[in-house]
Amino acid sequence: MFAKTAIWTTVLSAGAVGAAQAGTVTVDVEVPRLNVAEYHKPYVAAWIEDGAGAHKSNLFVWYQVGKGDKWLKDLRTWWRKSGRDLSASEVSGLSSATKAPGRQTAKIDTSALKGLTPGDYVLNVEASREGGGREVVKAPFKWDGKKAVAASTKGTTELGAVAFAIKP
């Protein structure tokens, strides 16, 4: 899977937005503060699927590299769609800690994202927390390859507001 190091990492996979030039993909994720006895920061994955539900691109995965590799499969939907098939050669990393409660932002250069043709897509964001719950939210969007696009959604337990924007 990924190189074993004892750092917390955000993993970005090269894979989506075909007609995009050097622009920015921004994903804002609200990690809610939960009133629980033992709080653990969640693992969070974001990826894009086409309108039929086929995986197209990983945007990021926030997890603890090394010690936490074995729990990546707790991001069940992402794991089944893509995670179990990833190799180090398919991944470009951006080091970062898993995220504390609050609004967190991931910015990704669109030049690293290839393959989306004009059509209907869905941003998926999944969170899973040790000793806690798991949640997947979906934000549909239409991509024409040229114009800026934005979408948003909101979770109910493990995720709060999620906003997504592509600015080519």
Side-chain angles (χ1 to χ4, degrees):
M1 170 127 30
F2 305 119
K4 303 274 186 185
T5 59
I7 62 171
W8 293 83
T9 299
T10 298
V11 176
L12 303 177
S13 169
V17 195
Q21 302 295 317
T24 304
V25 176
T26 303
V27 182
D28 289 321
V29 178
E30 181 185 348
V31 177
R33 174 154 311 275
L34 302 175
N35 189 16
V36 294
E38 186 176 347
Y39 180 82
H40 297 276
K41 295 176 186 174
Y43 285 17
V44 179
W47 70 97
I48 295 174
E49 295 176 354
D50 65 17
H55 177 271
K56 293 298 178 183
S57 176
N58 289 305
L59 297 178
F60 61 79
V61 180
W62 298 331
Y63 77 104
Q64 184 182 15
V65 177
K67 292 192 315 189
D69 288 358
K70 66 183 176 183
W71 289 296
L72 278 174
K73 62 184 169 258
D74 288 347
L75 292 165
R76 292 180 196 147
T77 305
W78 170 80
W79 183 256
R80 289 179 189 132
K81 293 277 185 173
S82 165
R84 64 179 164 203
D85 297 327
L86 289 179
S87 70
S89 65
E90 296 171 310
V91 176
S92 169
L94 172 64
S95 293
S96 163
T98 55
K99 309 304 181 189
R103 182 178 168 201
Q104 307 299 332
T105 300
K107 290 190 181 267
I108 302 129
D109 187 319
T110 58
S111 66
L113 305 172
K114 300 175 184 153
L116 287 189
T117 57
D120 294 325
Y121 294 93
V122 177
L123 167 73
N124 295 270
V125 178
E126 180 175 20
S128 179
R129 204 169 38 80
E130 181 184 349
R134 155 183 178 285
E135 182 173 27
V136 179
V137 296
K138 298 174 177 279
F141 67 97
K142 190 175 286 287
W143 174 247
D144 71 3
K146 299 173 187 166
K147 296 179 193 163
V149 64
S152 63
T153 188
K154 185 173 173 125
T156 58
T157 55
E158 299 295 326
L159 292 165
V162 173
F164 169 75
I166 301 174
K167 293 182 183 173

